[in-house]
Amino acid sequence: MDVPRGPDVIHRIHVAAEWLEEGALIEFELPRNLKCAACEGGGCDACGRSGAVSVRGRKELGEVVQVTLPKRDESSLESTASGRTLVIRIPERGGMSESPALPRGLLLLSVVPADASDPGVQRIERPVPPPVLTEEEAMAPEPAAEGADAPAPVAAPPKSRTALWVGVVIVLWLLLLAWLRLTGRG
Ligand SMILES: [Zn+2]
């Protein structure tokens, strides 16, 4: 975690408790100026004593962050001074480094379960599941067809092999009977 990078920042959002329980995908706009994570707003070298860190230039467009909430029961969250909180560490969403070659810092997203989400926090219905389902449906017939084709040739050899063994046993039995009769023991 101590890779050189821009300053880490803290952002706190309120999220409807049921979204957290469901592990919802959410979206919110990241403010340009955020609290410095190193000093929690008190002022330090990382933030130039201001307590705040800018995550983008003044002219840059707003930055929307999407994050999937980890499914969490409210009772399993960390207790902090401000109540039960979940902190999600999001890389490359923090402050910009002075050196453009270095990555941005971490965004320490503090998620506070509440009755209602902050106005800027929106739930996104995942567009992913339907394509995955159709893909599975499209994939499903293929193995099934393969499975339907496969048993026939696979099942056939055991049958003919069983028939062969039954034939061999019958022949041996007849030979045994013939031998018993020939030797006068039948
Ligand atoms: Zn600071």
Side-chain angles (χ1 to χ4, degrees):
M1 272 332 211
D2 280 341
V3 184
R5 59 170 186 262
D8 298 346
V9 297
I10 300 174
H11 183 46
R12 178 186 296 269
I13 55 170
H14 291 89
V15 166
E18 71 241 34
W19 292 5
L20 197 55
E21 280 164 29
E22 290 164 24
L25 175 64
I26 59 160
E27 182 183 83
F28 58 91
E29 191 172 323
L30 198 61
R32 195 172 80 85
N33 293 308
L34 290 162
K35 197 193 269 188
C36 170
C39 60
E40 300 198 354
C44 67
D45 290 339
C47 56
R49 310 269 154 213
S50 68
V53 171
S54 295
V55 296
R56 58 178 176 269
R58 213 173 279 275
K59 288 178 189 168
E60 284 178 58
L61 291 172
E63 178 178 3
V64 172
V65 174
Q66 285 188 358
V67 63
T68 302
L69 298 171
K71 274 190 191 178
R72 219 46 86 76
D73 204 280
E74 201 175 329
S75 60
S76 67
L77 300 181
E78 273 174 64
S79 274
T80 61
S82 50
R84 295 200 176 273
T85 307
L86 170 78
V87 177
I88 305 173
R89 301 163 76 91
I90 306 172
E92 300 251 11
R93 292 291 193 172
M96 287 175 292
S97 171
E98 283 168 30
S99 159
L102 292 180
R104 285 170 62 182
L106 296 176
L107 166 62
L108 304 177
L109 182 67
S110 184
V111 178
V112 183
D115 292 339
S117 302
D118 286 340
V121 178
Q122 268 146 25
R123 180 173 190 166
I124 309 171
E125 293 308 322
R126 287 159 206 269
V128 187
V132 166
L133 273 176
T134 51
E135 202 176 312
E136 272 173 16
E137 277 164 18
M139 298 277 288
E142 206 182 313
E146 210 176 291
D149 283 344
V154 168
K159 253 186 216 165
S160 59
R161 198 169 294 175
T162 308
L164 182 69
W165 278 111
V166 168
V168 167
V169 167
I170 289 170
V171 168
L172 285 174
W173 179 247
L174 289 175
L175 284 173
L176 179 70
L177 284 179
W179 178 72
L180 285 174
R181 194 152 298 175
L182 281 174
T183 54
R185 275 179 261 188

